[in-house]
Amino acid sequence: MENFIFQNPTKLIFGKGMIAQLAKEIPAGKRVMVTFGGGSVKKNGVYDQVKKALAGFEVTEFWGIESNPKVETLREAIRLGKEKNIDFLLAVGGGSVIDGTKLISAGLLYEGDAWELVRKGMCTETVPLAAVLTIPATGSEMNNGAVISRKETAEKFAFYSNNPVFSILDPTVTFSLPKWQVACGIADTFVHVMEQYMTAPGQSRLMDRWAEGILLSLIEIAPEIVEKQDNYERMADFMLCATMGLNHFIGMGVREDWATHLIGHELTALHGLTHGATLTIVMPGLWRTLKEKKMAKLVQYGERVWGITAGTDGQRADEAIARTEAFFRSLGLPTRLADAQIGDDTIREIERRFNERNAAFGEDRDVTGTVARRILENCK
Amino acid sequence: MENFIFQNPTKLIFGKGMIAQLAKEIPAGKRVMVTFGGGSVKKNGVYDQVKKALAGFEVTEFWGIESNPKVETLREAIRLGKEKNIDFLLAVGGGSVIDGTKLISAGLLYEGDAWELVRKGMCTETVPLAAVLTIPATGSEMNNGAVISRKETAEKFAFYSNNPVFSILDPTVTFSLPKWQVACGIADTFVHVMEQYMTAPGQSRLMDRWAEGILLSLIEIAPEIVEKQDNYERMADFMLCATMGLNHFIGMGVREDWATHLIGHELTALHGLTHGATLTIVMPGLWRTLKEKKMAKLVQYGERVWGITAGTDGQRADEAIARTEAFFRSLGLPTRLADAQIGDDTIREIERRFNERNAAFGEDRDVTGTVARRILENCK
């Protein structure tokens, strides 16, 4: 086990009807800006619940944080927030709204342009931020990470600030989500876990078990959700899995990969492909490419998660990869570049970008531009 | 899944050599009281590391917090701390030292007698407290609970205050622990998990998996530790399991039992029996008594943790209980009252105490004095 420091101060407020707790959690007298994506919260009742809970506060609304939130949009929110002297932010939405609001929380206290913050990669001088989550997927509600895009250059980078001080998760808000979004959320969670798990075995018995626990839960839940999306217990299980998949609870003392995400970000930046779909395409290809190195963990994963116990290690690893790909397909998600009409030009461009940045990703820092090209060729 | 609120702000600083981080974590200028148990920290090098790290601080030492910490001792520490205007506490020891220091942290800001705080059950107005853990067992390093005893009345009660602001866990400090203490630590962790797990199935798939993950890890680790206690990876796994066993990470949205602990506390209060040993005696007896109610979860536990798949549910539950008892015995711990020379007088006294307090423990609040007697008779 590697030495580590773990701290996650976010207060998680979970369950039916919990949005009403908002008023108790925000300090009295705060000038609150509430940030939203599109209009779905007006249809599913979340907007009304939030408005009601915030009746005692001076509230400014900012609408229109898009998926893969763009700095161009967030600059507008920062301008408005500064004008209104906002000193508390409440993100109401999915990971994109929360991610975008993390940049706003830093931008409100920063003189320069928000993209400078993104390129610095980190800023912890922020206005306090809380969240009402509407889409289980990214874990942003209980971590300090965000991913921000820039339209004019088709770029997408990670940015780190502070955790939300609290996040409210009411599983009933997921009942009306589009099926595609639920599928992407399941896949996103699955791959978050894998980025922390699929490296080498024997680093931490407990973290392995906890990661496998999320994977097993998702595999059980997924077909049930496809069948029926308004079962409270099921959606609560899913929502809890998504948050626990990326809040560092399964990452203590273990090395992490994240090359799938970093390659996937480029596919989104260049093609606008949904984040979850980029992951289901890249991860199996990455495993095929780095199979020898990840063999022991692929075998452990195959046995504990899929019950694969027959064959040579190589055969068991292949079977584990195939089962994973089949799982993603059962969710209706693409697993090959061709499914998303992405061809060789994109592969070459990603190799070029990674080389230009001297990229060295993955748990051993060996995923360079050249290796990324090989991975993407294995995603064809 | 039940609605829940989860927050655990403790900063966990984990690994070899991490005690040196102390100086960075305590705010400059603090008047620190360091609390200790007996002298073992002088033999294993922890005392020297702490002294060295705190060289820049004004430090008061308080020695002699015993196992099952007594209010009589803690009153002395509070008196000394008030005299020295202590505004930061550092507990260096196992669960007893940390528990005791939690009461000190509240007592320093309280005018009355410390036992009043214990009987109130909760006080969150405290001096900040941190810990250097030397015995993995109680989880006190990452939760807000403590258990305090009173010698003159042979009583033992739970008390809640604030989490440590940070806790330092260096697995190498466990290499020289007495074997009996390690065995009790493993059992204590095992039962902490069970108090949160062994109720009814289907409350949370993920929490079930995470609880089972700790149990599976402990069962793997225990015989290896008995064999060889100075393997870093193994002791790191154990130390992480112990902390994660009682920091609410596996208790989100599920009902909890705790009747084993509450009965066990009486055995300690009346006979001075080590906490871990009270648990290994009471838990199997509690399961034998409440088998029908806990049947479905006992079967799930037997299958997922011990691989028991044959027989009727009743047979599988019996087998799971027997395997658990054998596991405790393999650690050299007692599993019957007779092992600790405890007889019918004690059973009657515990029934009397529970009846006097109108006790109603367990996940369904149905463990009354009468039920506690039946449980203890099943521990003979």
Side-chain angles (χ1 to χ4, degrees):
Chain A
M1 200 184 297
E2 302 198 330
N3 285 4
F4 68 88
I5 294 175
F6 168 93
Q7 187 172 32
N8 192 324
T10 299
K11 185 173 186 176
L12 191 61
I13 301 168
F14 193 104
K16 213 177 290 190
M18 291 299 235
I19 294 173
Q21 303 268 331
L22 261 180
K24 274 199 258 175
E25 298 293 333
I26 302 177
K30 288 285 181 189
R31 289 177 300 278
V32 181
M33 181 155 85
V34 188
T35 54
F36 300 96
S40 64
V41 291
K42 289 212 172 161
K43 286 179 221 144
N44 63 15
V46 172
Y47 177 76
D48 291 335
Q49 290 180 66
V50 169
K51 282 292 275 189
K52 193 175 162 198
L54 294 182
F57 291 87
E58 192 184 315
V59 171
T60 302
E61 295 181 10
F62 181 84
W63 288 85
I65 300 181
E66 60 276 82
S67 40
N68 305 306
K70 308 285 181 296
V71 70
E72 289 86 352
T73 306
L74 303 171
R75 282 180 188 131
E76 287 307 301
I78 292 167
R79 191 195 52 70
L80 178 66
K82 283 180 173 173
E83 184 188 310
K84 300 276 186 180
N85 281 312
I86 293 302
D87 56 8
F88 198 96
L89 289 161
L90 178 68
V92 178
S96 292
V97 175
I98 303 171
D99 278 15
T101 309
K102 283 180 184 164
L103 184 63
I104 300 169
S105 78
L108 285 177
L109 302 180
Y110 185 71
E111 287 300 306
D113 179 63
W115 191 248
E116 291 169 23
L117 291 172
V118 176
R119 296 308 285 129
K120 282 179 190 168
M122 184 154 209
C123 173
T124 55
E125 203 177 323
T126 62
V127 163
L129 152 76
V132 174
L133 183 69
T134 59
I135 311 173
T138 73
S140 189
E141 63 279 8
M142 204 173 183
N143 67 40
N144 69 340
V147 185
I148 307 294
S149 296
R150 188 179 178 193
K151 210 170 165 180
E152 48 179 337
T153 52
E155 288 177 300
K156 185 173 180 182
F157 290 106
F159 166 72
Y160 298 89
S161 61
N162 288 310
N163 276 39
V165 289
F166 67 84
S167 284
I168 300 183
L169 279 63
D170 179 342
T172 62
V173 308
T174 66
F175 292 176
S176 57
L177 284 175
K179 276 190 181 304
W180 165 257
Q181 226 159 27
V182 172
C184 282
I186 293 171
D188 198 14
T189 304
F190 200 92
V191 178
H192 287 158
V193 173
M194 283 298 178
E195 299 281 27
Q196 300 164 83
Y197 170 80
M198 189 52 73
T199 56
Q203 299 176 81
S204 166
R205 288 177 222 241
L206 183 60
M207 294 294 100
D208 277 5
R209 293 284 182 191
W210 281 13
E212 288 153 1
I214 301 179
L215 300 173
L216 285 162
S217 299
L218 290 172
I219 290 167
E220 273 179 28
I221 294 165
E224 297 174 6
I225 292 182
V226 171
E227 190 70 26
K228 183 163 160 55
Q229 202 180 296
D230 61 355
N231 177 299
Y232 182 82
E233 293 300 323
R234 197 166 294 160
M235 298 314 275
D237 281 341
F238 167 39
M239 208 169 197
L240 190 60
C241 282
T243 300
M244 298 298 137
L246 193 48
N247 60 356
H248 307 296
F249 282 38
I250 60 165
M252 296 181 219
V254 298
R255 290 181 303 149
E256 303 186 7
D257 183 337
W258 295 102
T260 292
H261 268 71
L262 290 159
I263 297 170
H265 287 345
E266 298 302 324
L267 294 178
T268 302
L270 293 164
H271 289 273
L273 194 60
T274 308
H275 176 56
T278 70
L279 304 176
T280 55
I281 291 172
V282 176
M283 200 180 66
L286 182 139
W287 289 354
R288 281 188 286 269
T289 311
L290 304 176
K291 194 176 92 174
E292 288 304 320
K293 191 174 78 163
K294 290 181 185 282
M295 182 74 81
K297 201 64 171 273
L298 280 165
V299 169
Q300 176 181 318
Y301 160 63
E303 180 167 346
R304 293 193 184 169
V305 175
W306 294 109
I308 301 165
T309 53
T312 64
D313 280 3
Q315 287 165 337
R316 290 164 67 167
D318 287 342
E319 175 71 7
I321 298 170
R323 294 290 287 271
T324 308
E325 226 183 316
F327 174 65
F328 291 151
R329 289 207 165 267
S330 77
L331 295 169
L333 293 171
T335 59
R336 301 287 171 158
L337 287 170
D339 297 333
Q341 288 83 47
I342 292 174
D344 288 338
D345 290 357
T346 300
I347 297 179
R348 275 193 298 272
E349 171 60 10
I350 293 174
E351 181 179 19
R352 192 195 65 72
R353 284 180 166 203
F354 276 25
N355 283 338
E356 186 178 81
R357 294 176 204 152
N358 293 312
F361 302 137
E363 69 271 22
D364 294 319
R365 303 279 165 268
D366 56 2
V367 177
T368 59
T370 314
V371 175
R373 178 176 46 71
R374 284 175 44 219
I375 289 169
L376 287 164
E377 278 165 1
N378 266 324
C379 301
K380 276 187 187 176
Chain B
M1 200 183 300
E2 302 197 330
N3 284 5
F4 68 89
I5 293 177
F6 168 93
Q7 186 170 36
N8 191 325
T10 300
K11 184 172 184 177
L12 191 61
I13 302 169
F14 193 105
K16 212 176 291 190
M18 292 299 236
I19 295 174
Q21 304 266 330
L22 263 179
K24 272 197 261 175
E25 299 294 332
I26 302 176
K30 287 286 181 190
R31 288 176 303 278
V32 182
M33 183 156 82
V34 189
T35 55
F36 300 97
S40 66
V41 291
K42 288 210 172 163
K43 287 181 218 139
N44 63 16
V46 171
Y47 177 75
D48 291 336
Q49 290 179 64
V50 169
K51 283 291 277 187
K52 193 175 161 197
L54 293 182
F57 290 87
E58 193 184 315
V59 172
T60 301
E61 295 182 10
F62 181 83
W63 289 85
I65 300 181
E66 61 276 83
S67 39
N68 304 306
K70 309 285 180 296
V71 71
E72 289 86 353
T73 305
L74 304 171
R75 283 179 186 131
E76 287 306 302
I78 292 167
R79 191 196 51 71
L80 178 65
K82 283 181 173 173
E83 184 188 311
K84 301 276 187 180
N85 282 312
I86 294 302
D87 57 6
F88 198 96
L89 289 160
L90 179 67
V92 178
S96 293
V97 175
I98 303 170
D99 278 15
T101 309
K102 282 179 184 165
L103 184 63
I104 300 169
S105 79
L108 286 176
L109 302 179
Y110 185 70
E111 286 300 307
D113 178 63
W115 191 248
E116 291 169 24
L117 291 172
V118 175
R119 296 307 285 129
K120 281 179 193 172
M122 185 154 208
C123 173
T124 55
E125 203 178 321
T126 63
V127 163
L129 153 76
V132 173
L133 183 69
T134 60
I135 311 173
T138 73
S140 189
E141 64 278 8
M142 204 172 184
N143 66 41
N144 69 339
V147 187
I148 308 294
S149 297
R150 188 180 178 194
K151 211 171 165 180
E152 49 178 335
T153 51
E155 290 178 299
K156 186 173 179 181
F157 290 107
F159 166 73
Y160 297 90
S161 62
N162 288 310
N163 276 39
V165 288
F166 68 84
S167 284
I168 301 185
L169 279 63
D170 179 343
T172 63
V173 309
T174 66
F175 292 177
S176 58
L177 285 174
K179 276 190 180 305
W180 164 258
Q181 224 160 29
V182 173
C184 282
I186 292 170
D188 199 14
T189 304
F190 200 92
V191 178
H192 287 157
V193 173
M194 283 299 178
E195 299 281 27
Q196 301 163 82
Y197 170 80
M198 189 51 74
T199 56
Q203 299 176 80
S204 165
R205 289 177 220 243
L206 184 59
M207 294 293 102
D208 276 5
R209 293 282 183 192
W210 281 15
E212 290 153 0
I214 300 180
L215 300 173
L216 286 162
S217 298
L218 290 172
I219 289 167
E220 273 178 27
I221 293 165
E224 298 174 5
I225 291 182
V226 171
E227 190 73 26
K228 184 166 161 45
Q229 201 180 295
D230 61 355
N231 177 299
Y232 182 82
E233 292 301 323
R234 196 167 295 161
M235 298 313 276
D237 281 341
F238 168 37
M239 208 168 198
L240 190 60
C241 282
T243 300
M244 298 299 137
L246 193 48
N247 60 356
H248 308 295
F249 282 39
I250 60 165
M252 295 180 219
V254 298
R255 291 182 303 149
E256 303 188 7
D257 184 338
W258 295 103
T260 292
H261 267 72
L262 290 159
I263 297 170
H265 287 346
E266 298 302 324
L267 295 178
T268 301
L270 293 164
H271 289 273
L273 195 60
T274 308
H275 176 57
T278 69
L279 304 177
T280 55
I281 291 172
V282 176
M283 199 179 68
L286 182 139
W287 289 354
R288 281 187 286 268
T289 311
L290 305 176
K291 195 176 93 174
E292 288 305 319
K293 191 173 82 163
K294 290 180 184 284
M295 183 73 83
K297 201 62 171 277
L298 279 166
V299 169
Q300 176 181 317
Y301 160 61
E303 178 166 348
R304 292 192 185 172
V305 175
W306 295 108
I308 302 164
T309 53
T312 64
D313 280 1
Q315 288 165 335
R316 290 165 68 168
D318 288 341
E319 175 73 6
I321 298 170
R323 294 291 287 271
T324 307
E325 225 181 317
F327 174 65
F328 292 151
R329 290 208 165 265
S330 76
L331 295 170
L333 293 170
T335 59
R336 300 289 170 158
L337 287 171
D339 298 334
Q341 286 83 47
I342 293 174
D344 287 339
D345 289 358
T346 300
I347 295 178
R348 276 193 298 272
E349 171 60 11
I350 293 174
E351 181 178 19
R352 191 195 65 74
R353 285 182 167 202
F354 276 25
N355 283 337
E356 188 179 79
R357 294 177 203 150
N358 293 314
F361 302 137
E363 70 271 21
D364 293 319
R365 302 280 165 265
D366 55 3
V367 178
T368 58
T370 314
V371 176
R373 178 175 48 69
R374 284 175 43 218
I375 289 170
L376 286 164
E377 277 165 0
N378 267 324
C379 299
K380 279 188 185 174

